[in-house]
Amino acid sequence: MANATNTATILRAHAEQQFAEELAELAKVDSKRRPPNWQMSPWAVMTYIMGGKLDNGYEITPKYIGRTRLVEVAIATLATDRALLLLGVPGTAKTWLSEHLAAAISGDSSMLVQGTAGTAEESIRYGWNYAKLLSEGPSMGALVSSPVMRAMSDGKIVRVEELTRMPADVQDSLITILSEKTLPIPELNTQVQAVKGFNLIATANDRDRGVNDLSSALKRRFNTVVLPVPDTLDEEVDIVRRRVESLGKALELPAEAPAIEEVRRVVTIFRELRSGITADGKTKLKMPSGTMSTAEAISVITNGLALAAHFGDGNLLASDVAAGIIGAIVKDPVQDKVVMKEYLETVVKEREGWKDLYRSCREF
Amino acid sequence: MPAPATETTEKVHIFGIRHHGPGSARSLVHCFRELRPDCILIEGPPEGNDLVKYVTDPEMRPPVSMLLYAVDDPRISVYYPFAVFSPEWQAMTFGVMHNIPVRFMDLPQTNWLALDQMRRADRIEKAQAALEEQNELPDDGIVRDDLEDTVRDLAPAKQGNGSAPQPSSQLVLDLKAPVEVNKDLEKLHNKIRRDPLNFLAELAGYSDGERWWENLIEARRGREDVFVAIKEAMSHLRDDLPDDPHDEDYEPLREAHMRQTIRTAIKDGFERIAVVCGAWHAPALDKMPPAKEDAGLLKGLPKFKLAATWIPWTHGRLAYASGYGAGIPSPGWYHHLWTSEEQVAELWMSKVARLLREADLDASSAHIIETVRLAETLAALRGHPLPGLSEFSEATQSVLCFGNPVPMQVIHDKLIVGETLGEVPAGIPGTPLQKDLEREQKRLRMPAQAQEKILDLDLRNANDLSRSHLLHRLNILDIPWGKKERSAITTSTFHEYWRLLWKPEFSISLIEASIYGRTVLQAAETKAKEVADKSHQLSELSKLLDAVLLADMPDIVEHVIKCVENEAAVASDVKHLMEALPSLVQIARYGNVRKTDLGSVAKILDGLVSRVCVGLPPACAALDDTAAQEILVLINKVHSAISLIQTPDHDRQWQDALTRIAENSASNGLLAGRSTRLLFDWRKIDASEAARQFGLAVSTATEPALAASFVEGFLQGSGLVLIHDKELLSVADGWVQSLNDEAFTNILPLMRRAFSSYAPAERRQIGEAIVRSRGAGGLKRLGRGAEAPIDLSRADLVLPGIAKLLGVLPPAKSVQSNEISSKDPQGE
């Protein structure tokens, strides 16, 4: 790193800095074959992501809690020369996984292009240092390389966040890079050819895939792995509770930690509407147009906590979360209202011990 | 007994196979070619020996199933399904083609089923005795419920779909052993017993036993070696595993009979005897105990009269548990493994790609290459030399489907399981379903005739009712022997008219339908259940519900209701919901289905009513007239359904919905009018409120056409309201009078339509009421609507003549009646 900041003072360390010790330990025991330019073998990458105990007794913490098979597909994809596309609703750890994959495979997760509506082609290909360009004319010295270009020449993994938020023409500049593994620089009549080990991990939100849908030419260059929402209620309640607690600390909310029962109720509602079926699997439900993601459940609880802290007695009550729940469900004023009313009348109303929630929701 | 043991090893060659395993089948055929056996013994029911000759029939196309059933009660039966890749099938084919005697050596089902029935009866007796004992004791709810359940489970002597006798033995444990056994461990043991090779494969880290088998073969080269190795592995497994606590001694009996069959074959002088059995049994057939022991075991077993036949089977059904233990989850994949020895991956992926292209998804050759590469890398990452089905599926989802799981379902249904339907030759002895139908036809005195016949059934008569049930059930099975006709003569609900015509192709349909069950009732039930599971159309489901109600299949009614509920929950079209409501109300109200749990129906009804009430008001806005007419019919139906069950909660919600339709200015006029009227008839709003709303709807600010449709909706049905309610009448009357000529002409057809539904007497009374309310003075004004005022002086000219004809002479009156009828176009 050019600017080696002290990791203790920076707000958020890169994965390879934060878990440097684990990576080093893994490298010690890893004797399996490595693909060219990989820092460790695919098996070691797998262990790094999913956690486990090494032969020398060292404990690797799990980075991604979820299905092993998906991560296997992701790693196998990167081991072939196909690019990897991680899809999923917000809050399913796409960025988190891509960062750790890059850290483990290349030892460097910092080569990153953030996709936004304003991302220009320069950030994928290259730009010019205009002062130098004017004084020296076009030369490699006047060229400002993009993270993609650097990853290509170093044989590393580059990450592209929120690929579908980029304008379509910028997205398409990836096609040559992914299929020919080369980046032509016509101005200098030269090109940068990718070194072995180069690959690309893109993430995209599959709810607003419609924003700038990938062209089929580009789509074809990716292997897609869809990261699912947590499998079980308990798993999700656990994730929500942990995140709410750490967020609560960060926001310095004076409220009590939320009762696990209230969290469970909110998560149940989110899971039911997201999956379109009640938790007991007996009744089907209409699904709202919103994503109902874990991340939103977390924000409903945090909002409720803030309400309870500032306007209530600090205890999280049904009335504190009701507004948040309704806000999360009703994204489309017509359709979602029907969905919500049906849900209230057919599910919430009937459920034992949910009367308070039913009443609070009806008030809105 | 060392002497016979050596003799056995020389003459007998044991092949421990995996049931339905293409790898086993391939190795087996290979070994057979080298061994050239002169006798083949197969694990299977000896009753099927006569059926073996059909396997090479050109019309025989697997998957097919051997079906053994009790002659007296076809509900007692066992299936032995075979696919072309089943080792047993290949062994049979090999035998018939090379003219080698093929014999089945398992415990005869005649004994097995009889034993099972006997023990079952025994258990019922014991359970009932225990129940009675419990009754005398102070009430101990839990235990009693359990016992009652057990008795109920046991009582109908019919077995589950296609079950071998194993499942019933589960119940023994429930009764005998209150001690909690470690269920998971037991499950594992059961799994090992059912498919020990798959268990070994799982230990080796494979998701599928077949790929493991292939690797095994490739690693070992020699084919017979494999069977020796498997025998060894199995004997270790058998030593380590405890005896099956559920087994009830069937296992020793079966193996004893297998050994006895082997002994007979040796005695018959065969030199190279090939024994094909599940791997699990291989060690037991290797070590021969004294023949006396086995003979002793098999002595005095009860018997049962059985018949055997072939019936067509499907790949989908191979997935079910049946005669050969557990079903296989991926028959289509196995079929592929069997048919393509080389280039498994490339051929499979090409099939997948072709299927996806049919579904209009991009799947180019480049995609296939990438998918195969990813699958191979995945297999390497998991430490397997060859990719298996799970690697292919995951790679397909990632590369070809862009992570989308939906197309994977198509691949699963069409390729991995497959839709192949087997065929059996026509000359095969009849199936129990055919026999059952013949029996029913005889019992109900309804011979199958090739000429058309009309049947008038009076459903109050038990025999006729059974006939109707039978015809309805056959219709569910797509055997339209009878077509139900709408009667032109009478509308009574207890009569049904059927047009009967037996066509020869129904016999084939019957054979095909025998997949579903052994009796007409059972087959119809299974079929209806399958249709219900597949259907996602609410209207289709409510039709099916109707059909199963008419066919008197209470068990299925419940299932169909459940499906209706599920569909209703996601149905976005409120019309479909409304269509389903009346028939459900019928069930909830009359409970005409004996065993249906009315509580659950009521619950579903609650949900359905809520959904209709939430969804209907928005659906009534912005509709054209045709659509409005459709909804109008449905509103009327739902209204009568809801007033029929009279639940306060439903009433409240429905009233709420109607009020919202009536008050929403965007609602279609017809529907708003109808809603107002329904509320009024229902006494939810009083006359003055109704008059107010009527007035609002027809006030001058409203388009006359819109107002007219409101009036049409309001007035439809019965005109009594206008006769008895002066206020309403005067509002309506006032509105008509306020119209100018053009507007009146425009709305006239609508009014005519509304009034046409009234009885003539009603129309006359309305006219008279108007006359009364006006007095003679008002009537002059009534004439305004008629284009040309009547020229009284000219009319007077004809009066004397008419007066003469009628024999009366009040000139003023004749003018009046003339004018009223011009206003009331219907006349009298």
Side-chain angles (χ1 to χ4, degrees):
Chain A
M1 293 258 95
N3 46 348
T5 328
N6 181 1
T7 43
T9 59
I10 54 170
L11 186 56
R12 185 182 182 283
H14 289 305
E16 65 272 19
Q17 296 166 336
Q18 205 182 339
F19 297 98
E21 196 189 336
E22 289 190 3
L23 289 168
E25 289 290 334
L26 264 169
K28 264 191 244 164
V29 296
D30 181 21
S31 58
K32 296 215 166 115
R33 208 172 58 82
R34 301 174 190 186
N37 261 329
W38 278 37
Q39 299 297 306
M40 51 177 78
S41 69
W43 293 272
V45 176
M46 194 67 210
T47 319
Y48 172 74
I49 303 286
M50 301 309 289
K53 205 164 196 169
L54 300 183
D55 289 343
N56 60 12
Y58 189 84
E59 190 86 34
I60 303 283
T61 55
K63 313 296 176 303
Y64 176 75
I65 302 167
R67 294 180 208 166
T68 313
R69 305 206 142 241
L70 290 180
V71 181
E72 280 174 348
V73 174
I75 297 174
T77 297
L78 293 170
T80 66
D81 56 3
R82 298 261 292 175
L84 173 66
L85 175 62
L86 297 174
L87 272 182
V89 294
T92 43
K94 300 181 293 289
T95 307
W96 179 254
L97 182 60
S98 83
E99 181 182 353
H100 283 283
L101 281 172
I105 294 172
S106 304
D108 183 358
S109 65
S110 64
M111 289 200 241
L112 168 72
V113 179
Q114 177 67 49
T116 66
T119 304
E121 220 177 324
E122 282 83 35
S123 39
I124 296 223
R125 301 176 70 209
Y126 50 85
W128 295 100
N129 178 339
Y130 285 97
K132 273 196 175 171
L133 183 65
L134 288 175
S135 62
E136 297 171 12
S139 70
M140 277 312 265
L143 192 114
V144 180
S145 57
S146 71
V148 180
M149 194 169 172
R150 263 180 285 133
M152 286 175 85
S153 50
D154 297 352
K156 287 188 172 172
I157 301 274
V158 62
R159 300 191 287 137
V160 178
E161 287 294 316
E162 299 288 357
L163 180 62
T164 46
R165 308 227 20 108
M166 283 185 196
D169 52 330
V170 182
Q171 286 174 10
D172 282 354
S173 57
L174 284 171
I175 293 179
T176 333
I177 298 171
L178 293 182
S179 60
E180 309 289 326
K181 315 286 181 200
T182 180
L183 180 58
I185 309 171
E187 292 90 338
L188 302 177
N189 196 19
T190 177
Q191 58 178 335
V192 175
Q193 276 181 295
V195 172
K196 279 186 179 170
F198 164 75
N199 211 333
L200 186 143
I201 306 176
T203 64
N205 178 341
D206 69 349
R207 270 301 170 119
D208 33 69
R209 230 184 313 191
V211 176
N212 282 311
D213 211 353
L214 297 187
S215 65
S216 51
L218 184 57
K219 228 180 190 176
R220 208 174 71 63
R221 264 101 194 157
F222 281 105
N223 284 1
T224 315
V225 171
V226 176
L227 297 182
V229 287
D231 279 339
T232 65
L233 177 67
D234 288 333
E235 206 177 297
E236 190 164 3
V237 169
D238 193 47
I239 295 172
V240 171
R241 194 178 48 83
R242 278 165 202 265
R243 285 293 294 159
V244 166
E245 268 173 22
S246 66
L247 270 175
K249 265 182 222 142
L251 300 173
E252 290 165 23
L253 283 176
E256 306 279 324
I260 192 76
E261 272 318 302
E262 202 56 56
V263 175
R264 187 172 279 272
R265 275 208 310 210
V266 173
V267 172
T268 307
I269 293 175
F270 272 67
R271 289 182 70 84
E272 287 185 335
L273 285 171
R274 183 199 300 147
S275 57
I277 189 161
T278 53
D280 57 12
K282 287 190 180 150
T283 319
K284 278 197 182 178
L285 302 166
K286 286 203 184 77
M287 290 190 270
S289 56
T291 57
M292 309 299 297
S293 72
T294 316
E296 274 179 294
I298 293 169
S299 87
V300 165
I301 301 268
T302 349
N303 277 341
L305 278 181
L307 272 176
H310 298 299
F311 302 102
D313 59 358
N315 284 320
L316 189 63
L317 296 177
S319 52
D320 298 322
V321 289
I325 292 174
I326 291 173
I329 301 175
V330 182
K331 291 273 158 36
D332 174 307
V334 183
Q335 279 178 327
D336 289 345
K337 234 185 199 154
V338 175
V339 171
M340 193 199 66
K341 269 196 188 150
E342 263 196 37
Y343 182 71
L344 277 182
E345 295 297 331
T346 55
V347 179
V348 179
K349 189 176 158 194
E350 310 287 322
R351 204 163 271 171
E352 197 117 331
W354 283 40
K355 283 269 178 307
D356 54 337
L357 193 64
Y358 173 69
R359 253 178 275 120
S360 320
C361 287
R362 271 201 71 119
E363 278 167 22
F364 282 93
Chain B
M1 38 166 277
T6 43
E7 197 186 347
T8 312
T9 37
E10 269 167 25
K11 288 184 177 171
V12 179
H13 303 260
I14 294 173
F15 299 95
I17 47 94
R18 184 166 178 245
H19 297 303
H20 303 310
S24 307
R26 189 169 288 141
S27 305
L28 190 72
V29 173
H30 190 88
C31 290
F32 274 13
R33 280 197 199 119
E34 278 176 10
L35 177 68
R36 310 217 118 267
D38 55 4
C39 173
I40 298 176
L41 303 182
I42 300 174
E43 176 191 338
E47 289 90 344
N49 281 345
D50 291 341
L51 292 175
V52 173
K53 60 175 182 280
Y54 291 107
V55 295
T56 50
D57 192 305
E59 277 176 58
M60 184 72 125
R61 236 165 259 150
V64 291
S65 173
M66 200 181 272
L67 168 63
L68 307 176
Y69 59 97
V71 179
D72 303 326
D73 183 1
R75 287 177 303 178
I76 302 171
S77 65
V78 189
Y79 294 113
Y80 279 85
F82 300 98
V84 66
F85 51 79
S86 304
E88 294 88 346
W89 180 264
Q90 287 303 325
M92 281 188 265
T93 317
F94 190 91
V96 177
M97 291 214 314
H98 295 84
N99 264 328
I100 305 164
V102 176
R103 297 177 186 173
F104 287 113
M105 60 177 183
D106 208 341
L107 179 68
Q109 281 292 350
T110 179
N111 302 130
W112 196 343
L113 279 176
L115 262 179
D116 204 57
Q117 288 298 318
M118 218 170 70
R119 290 180 185 179
R120 183 191 299 272
D122 219 34
R123 276 198 303 278
I124 294 178
E125 217 166 87
K126 266 190 212 152
Q128 256 158 357
L131 189 64
E132 271 159 31
E133 218 169 278
Q134 282 292 330
N135 277 340
E136 284 158 23
L137 291 176
D139 199 9
D140 180 4
I142 310 160
V143 182
R144 252 189 74 185
D145 282 355
D146 279 358
L147 283 169
E148 272 169 3
D149 282 349
T150 318
V151 174
R152 203 175 318 130
D153 287 347
L154 292 166
K158 72 176 162 190
Q159 299 185 15
N161 187 13
S163 59
Q166 288 99 320
S168 59
S169 42
Q170 182 78 35
L171 293 162
V172 190
L173 182 82
D174 296 346
L175 267 185
K176 271 202 283 206
V179 195
E180 189 59 34
V181 200
N182 187 339
K183 282 265 158 69
D184 288 342
L185 192 66
E186 215 166 74
K187 249 188 219 159
L188 178 69
H189 289 165
N190 244 337
K191 207 166 106 187
I192 299 175
R193 274 187 210 99
R194 293 199 147 206
D195 196 346
L197 293 177
N198 211 36
F199 172 70
L200 291 182
E202 268 174 33
L203 282 188
Y206 287 82
S207 56
D208 177 43
E210 278 314 302
R211 279 313 228 185
W212 176 74
W213 181 284
E214 266 159 55
N215 295 343
L216 206 70
I217 302 276
E218 286 193 4
R220 299 184 73 99
R221 300 243 166 71
R223 304 252 181 176
E224 192 154 7
D225 262 13
V226 175
F227 290 109
V228 174
I230 281 171
K231 203 159 62 191
E232 272 166 30
M234 287 306 125
S235 70
H236 287 300
L237 260 181
R238 283 176 73 111
D239 288 346
D240 291 348
L241 220 61
D243 283 341
D244 189 347
H246 296 188
D247 183 62
E248 295 190 45
D249 314 325
Y250 287 125
E251 213 73 341
L253 283 180
R254 294 177 60 196
E255 287 173 355
H257 195 273
M258 293 187 206
R259 284 191 293 262
Q260 287 293 57
T261 316
I262 296 175
R263 288 191 188 102
T264 317
I266 297 173
K267 217 179 279 167
D268 289 350
F270 293 112
E271 291 295 321
R272 294 178 307 278
I273 302 168
V275 175
V276 181
C277 60
W280 183 250
H281 300 294
L285 304 187
D286 203 25
K287 287 181 235 124
M288 288 284 203
K292 237 187 225 162
E293 242 173 63
D294 284 344
L297 268 178
L298 294 171
K299 223 160 87 185
L301 289 178
K303 278 190 179 174
F304 224 71
K305 205 174 166 210
L306 285 189
T309 185
W310 286 111
I311 57 165
W313 208 245
T314 65
H315 268 176
R317 268 162 197 279
L318 278 173
Y320 294 167
S322 52
Y324 278 131
I328 45 171
S330 49
W333 165 247
Y334 283 7
H335 192 259
H336 172 74
L337 286 180
W338 171 253
T339 45
S340 48
E341 197 156 357
E342 304 287 320
Q343 294 186 311
V344 171
E346 292 78 359
L347 284 171
W348 177 256
M349 283 319 302
S350 309
K351 281 187 191 171
V352 170
R354 201 172 312 149
L355 186 66
L356 289 176
R357 275 176 222 143
E358 273 168 28
D360 276 339
L361 289 162
D362 290 338
S364 65
S365 317
H367 277 119
I368 301 176
I369 296 166
E370 291 304 338
T371 317
V372 174
R373 278 184 64 204
L374 180 59
E376 276 166 4
T377 319
L378 259 178
L381 188 65
R382 289 170 185 167
H384 307 328
L386 285 172
L389 181 58
S390 61
E391 278 81 28
F392 283 122
S393 295
E394 279 156 28
T396 307
Q397 182 169 2
S398 179
V399 179
L400 280 167
C401 307
F402 307 109
N404 185 357
V406 180
M408 295 307 293
Q409 191 58 45
V410 182
I411 295 174
H412 179 266
D413 292 347
K414 298 217 165 152
L415 272 183
I416 297 177
V417 172
E419 292 170 331
T420 318
L421 175 72
E423 283 172 34
V424 298
I428 296 255
T431 64
L433 185 63
Q434 283 169 313
K435 296 225 167 108
D436 183 63
L437 181 61
E438 280 163 22
R439 215 179 2 247
E440 287 288 294
Q441 284 168 337
K442 207 185 262 172
R443 182 172 75 85
L444 300 171
R445 292 190 298 280
M446 266 173 34
Q449 286 168 331
Q451 74 246 83
E452 205 172 77
K453 192 185 160 195
I454 306 272
L455 202 60
D456 172 5
L457 299 180
D458 181 345
L459 302 183
R460 291 167 299 185
N461 168 331
N463 195 47
D464 277 4
L465 187 62
S466 301
R467 286 171 165 185
S468 157
H469 290 161
L470 179 67
L471 290 170
H472 278 295
R473 283 169 196 166
L474 286 173
N475 269 331
I476 290 178
L477 287 172
D478 285 332
I479 303 175
W481 179 24
K483 280 205 181 83
K484 200 171 146 190
E485 305 259 306
R486 213 173 278 252
S487 158
I489 312 153
T490 154
T491 52
S492 72
T493 49
F494 47 78
H495 270 281
E496 269 182 4
Y497 292 89
W498 290 87
R499 194 175 287 274
L500 293 190
L501 175 64
W502 185 265
K503 294 180 190 159
E505 58 261 36
F506 291 162
S507 308
I508 299 163
S509 312
L510 264 178
I511 295 179
E512 278 165 14
S514 52
I515 303 176
Y516 293 112
R518 295 152 302 230
T519 64
V520 175
L521 173 62
Q522 193 191 28
E525 283 182 342
T526 318
K527 173 86 185 284
K529 186 163 176 297
E530 207 172 280
V531 173
D533 288 339
K534 271 192 196 153
S535 169
H536 296 294
Q537 280 270 319
L538 203 53
S539 47
E540 210 177 287
L541 280 171
S542 31
K543 238 181 251 162
L544 182 67
L545 183 60
D546 226 31
V548 295
L549 278 174
L550 289 171
D552 187 32
M553 308 194 297
D555 295 348
I556 299 307
V557 167
E558 223 161 307
H559 182 81
V560 177
I561 288 178
K562 185 82 207 148
C563 294
V564 169
E565 185 191 16
N566 281 343
E567 266 333 295
V570 288
S572 48
D573 196 343
V574 73
K575 275 201 288 192
H576 291 161
L577 294 173
M578 293 169 81
E579 277 162 16
L581 194 63
S583 50
L584 273 175
V585 166
Q586 286 282 330
I587 300 170
R589 177 92 168 92
Y590 298 114
N592 51 355
V593 203
R594 275 167 295 147
K595 273 193 271 169
T596 312
D597 174 13
L598 293 183
S600 76
V601 179
K603 222 184 105 229
I604 296 164
L605 207 55
D606 285 347
L608 209 57
V609 170
S610 298
R611 290 198 175 91
V612 167
C613 293
V614 169
L616 183 58
C620 288
L623 282 180
D624 68 13
D625 287 343
T626 340
Q629 282 292 351
E630 281 171 26
I631 296 229
L632 181 77
V633 174
L634 288 171
I635 287 183
N636 286 337
K637 275 191 191 158
V638 169
H639 182 76
S640 56
I642 284 180
S643 16
L644 195 66
I645 36 172
Q646 293 185 329
T647 317
D649 193 40
H650 294 169
D651 286 358
R652 188 187 51 75
Q653 293 188 41
W654 179 241
Q655 182 192 345
D656 215 43
L658 287 179
T659 314
R660 269 188 294 156
I661 301 170
E663 286 174 1
N664 184 0
S665 56
S667 293
N668 182 289
L670 186 69
L671 302 177
R674 193 67 213 153
S675 303
T676 315
R677 171 65 183 277
L678 288 176
L679 286 168
F680 175 62
D681 281 355
W682 212 11
R683 299 284 169 257
K684 298 296 178 195
I685 54 175
D686 56 20
S688 62
E689 173 63 15
R692 188 185 71 82
Q693 292 205 7
F694 194 101
L696 268 182
V698 301
S699 55
T700 42
T702 325
E703 276 281 306
L706 197 71
S709 64
F710 180 94
V711 174
E712 187 194 348
F714 189 89
L715 294 183
Q716 227 182 35
S718 156
L720 287 176
V721 63
L722 285 182
I723 301 169
H724 294 300
D725 202 301
K726 301 229 162 49
E727 196 174 349
L728 262 177
L729 182 66
S730 66
V731 175
D733 186 30
W735 170 63
V736 174
Q737 292 197 44
S738 72
L739 295 169
N740 61 31
D741 291 351
E742 193 190 352
F744 181 77
T745 327
N746 284 339
I747 61 121
L748 195 56
L750 293 175
M751 289 300 96
R752 189 191 154 109
R753 194 160 65 193
F755 278 89
S756 68
S757 62
Y758 297 172
E762 274 177 3
R763 285 199 295 264
R764 186 170 41 84
Q765 283 183 9
I766 293 170
E768 284 172 4
I770 293 177
V771 173
R772 265 201 307 281
S773 71
R774 297 277 172 70
L779 283 168
K780 282 262 160 63
R781 284 166 54 218
L782 264 175
R784 238 198 51 168
E787 194 74 7
I790 289 171
D791 187 339
L792 288 179
S793 54
R794 286 189 66 190
D796 282 343
L797 294 178
V798 296
L799 281 182
I802 292 174
K804 243 184 207 165
L805 284 172
L806 297 174
V808 280
L809 253 183
K813 189 131 193 174
S814 71
V815 173
Q816 269 172 26
S817 61
N818 189 3
E819 288 191 7
I820 286 169
S821 57
S822 80
K823 188 76 204 176
D824 176 6
Q826 225 25 59
E828 297 219 1

